[in-house]
Amino acid sequence: MNERPSSAMFSHKYFGKELGHLIGGKSVPPHSDQMMPSFNPATGEVLAYIPEGTAEDVNLAVAAARKAFEGPWSEWLPWERHRLFMRIYEVIEQNFDELAYLTTLDIGTPITKTLGMKQYALKAITYFATQTTNIGGQTLPNNIGTGVMTMTVKAPVGVIGGILPWNVPLVGLWWLLGGTLATGCTIVLKPAEYATMTILRLVELLYEAGLPEGVVNVVAGRGGVVGQALAEHNDVDRVVFTGSVQAGRKVIMASASNVKRVQVELGGKSPDIVFADAPMELAVPGAAMAVYNNCGQVCTAGTRLFVERKAHNEFVDKLVKFSRQMRIGPGIAHDTDMGPLISQGQLDRVMSYVDGAAPEGATLVTGGKRLGGDLSQGYFVEPTIFCDVRPEMTIAREEIFGPVISVIPFDTEEEALRLANETEYGLGGAVWTQDLSKAMRMINRVKAGTFWVNCYDWMDAGVGMNGYKLSGYGGKGGPTHMDNFLYQKSVYINHTYSGDVPPVGAGLRA
Ligand code: NAD
């Protein structure tokens, strides 16, 4: 039998070290000497030690970001920003394998998947490079007089606080970096406790590409300390949070300190609707991987799987077959389809949902167990499917963030729609059908910010993603993405130099 690859077979300059924050372009030791271990979730081994940042560290990073913002950076011309993006493209392209291996070891995502994210990252960099020349206001008509020209101009918002989740560091960061660098904002990033190394290394690479000092800063640490300090900081102009609803609520409240702009991208419990006329060769692996991707730790995971009753049994049989042939193992092995969960805490959480499903009346049709043997040191669970799930059951309502599918049958299109919308979330959703009219009705009536037809989890920076209800507000990507990083000023110009236009406007003279 082949030896399973372990992190001991790979080396990285971070491994075995106590890491610092990255402030003003340099590694900076933390204010306190408290460190937290970063584990390889496939083996339970400690990879490195991450600083437990403090409010003092946040102050230092925000000051560096402010200084950079008030310097020449925010007035760079579009071509200068574009040129920086081109250098970043090259550095990221050259070093992507290192980033992919580091991410796989740190969070468990299969290496084939992290290596595959290279194309996504490079396309996102290219897209945001094009946005540098796409930032402008409008000339607007007015009812004041012909001697008055009116227009809007845009200006960068300032210092951004970016609070990140751990599940997709290689991809998620570009939503923030793209807008920050294209507009002339600066940023302080707070990586998730479990995925700090990828963010630190990626930002180091930005500096290797020529990023001016202090434009991007990283403060590692706990959410309740570093995240909270960033969200309430009076010199942060906008906070962007991606994570759970519980923490998102705290960020919204903390942001009230200086009424900073706030964007929250939160959880989901997305409906995936399979009609009997679906292209089954797509729908079976599509519905399975809509949940098993990243071991179910994807915010848009299609965990509520609605299957038209006349196709239900055949579909479930095929889904079970697909699930049982999945290869579970350390992400570092090239033949792994699904890696571990991120942590012992996440494993316990997923298992508590699995163990609680049968007593509520759901039927376990495959999976449901933690993996033992030579995987027993890691946080591995089997791909799991429950049938006979009713919408009111806990597994059908709450975000599990694990490889657990709840199959719910339906008879009519109206019923599918009602069930799909019976959730407090509204992040993603999909329909599988060959009937375009039916698909259009679902697109229009499912209350979700991102929707797929005969595919799942495709994402493009130019198209973006959005949320309804508890899934948050402020969307990422797409044509309005840059506006999130910009103030809009309304400008009135009297170009008559005469009394034809009253010097003071509305309300003061009849
Ligand atoms: P989490 O909410 O536990 O943590 C997210 C980030 O917030 C971390 O950096 C954490 O340290 C920080 N944080 C925690 N408490 C905080 C506080 N009081 N103040 C400020 N920051 C705080 O979420 P997670 O476990 O890292 O990620 C999983 C969750 O994120 C899931 O709910 C998932 O659906 C969601 N998610 C959403 C999207 C999206 O785009 N909508 C993308 C990825 C993940």
Side-chain angles (χ1 to χ4, degrees), residues 144-184:
I144 301 169
T146 51
V148 178
M149 213 281 267
T150 39
M151 63 181 183
T152 56
V153 296
K154 303 278 174 86
V157 156
V159 176
I160 314 264
I163 304 173
L164 306 167
W166 47 264
N167 59 343
V168 277
L170 276 176
V171 169
L173 194 55
W174 296 104
W175 298 119
L176 276 167
L177 289 179
T180 299
L181 304 185
T183 57

Side-chain angles (χ1 to χ4, degrees), residues 7 80 88 99 116 131 133 201 213 218 237 293 297 346 359 361 378 380 415 429 437 440 459 464 483 491 497:
S7 30
E80 293 173 290
I88 290 174
L99 290 172
Q131 296 307 296
T133 49
R201 184 64 190 129
E213 204 174 281
V218 184
D237 301 290
N293 185 13
Q297 303 164 114
Q346 188 63 14
F380 294 93
E415 188 188 6
S437 307
M440 278 311 298
M459 200 60 69
D483 283 340
V491 181
Y497 302 105

Side-chain angles (χ1 to χ4, degrees), residues 94-148:
Q94 283 159 11
N95 293 279
F96 203 87
D97 287 5
E98 178 201 336
L99 290 172
Y101 276 93
L102 187 60
T103 305
T104 289
L105 288 167
D106 202 19
I107 69 169
T109 309
I111 187 67
T112 47
K113 174 103 181 137
T114 50
L115 286 171
M117 288 174 188
K118 181 174 184 173
Q119 283 308 311
Y120 174 89
L122 295 179
K123 286 179 189 173
I125 294 168
T126 313
Y127 173 77
F128 288 116
T130 67
Q131 296 307 296
T132 55
T133 49
N134 210 13
I135 295 162
Q138 283 177 293
T139 305
L140 297 166
N142 66 69
N143 289 312
I144 301 169
T146 51
V148 178

Side-chain angles (χ1 to χ4, degrees), residues 234-251:
N234 280 331
D235 207 23
V236 170
D237 301 290
R238 174 174 184 244
V239 64
V240 180
F241 171 85
T242 306
S244 61
V245 175
Q246 297 84 329
R249 283 199 176 104
K250 291 184 184 155
V251 167

Side-chain angles (χ1 to χ4, degrees), residues 163-168 190-193 221-228 231 241-245 247-248 250-251 265-268 298-300 346 399 401 427 465 471 476:
I163 304 173
L164 306 167
W166 47 264
N167 59 343
V168 277
K190 193 302 223 189
E193 292 83 333
R222 306 235 176 240
V225 180
V226 175
Q228 178 79 19
F241 171 85
T242 306
S244 61
V245 175
K250 291 184 184 155
V251 167
E265 289 286 337
L266 308 176
V298 176
C299 50
T300 48
Q346 188 63 14
E399 186 180 37
F401 233 51
L427 196 59
M465 64 179 289
S471 295
K476 297 168 179 166

Side-chain angles (χ1 to χ4, degrees), residues 354-395:
V354 169
D355 294 341
E360 284 193 48
T363 306
L364 180 69
V365 286
T366 192
K369 288 196 292 296
R370 178 182 183 174
L371 289 163
D374 54 358
L375 296 180
S376 60
Q377 299 305 308
Y379 315 124
F380 294 93
V381 285
E382 293 175 316
T384 298
I385 301 174
F386 283 99
C387 280
D388 304 318
V389 177
R390 292 190 311 279
E392 66 275 16
M393 290 179 182
T394 310
I395 54 165

Side-chain angles (χ1 to χ4, degrees), residues 200-214:
L200 278 175
R201 184 64 190 129
L202 207 149
V203 175
E204 273 183 4
L205 290 170
L206 298 183
Y207 282 101
E208 284 178 28
L211 188 74
E213 204 174 281

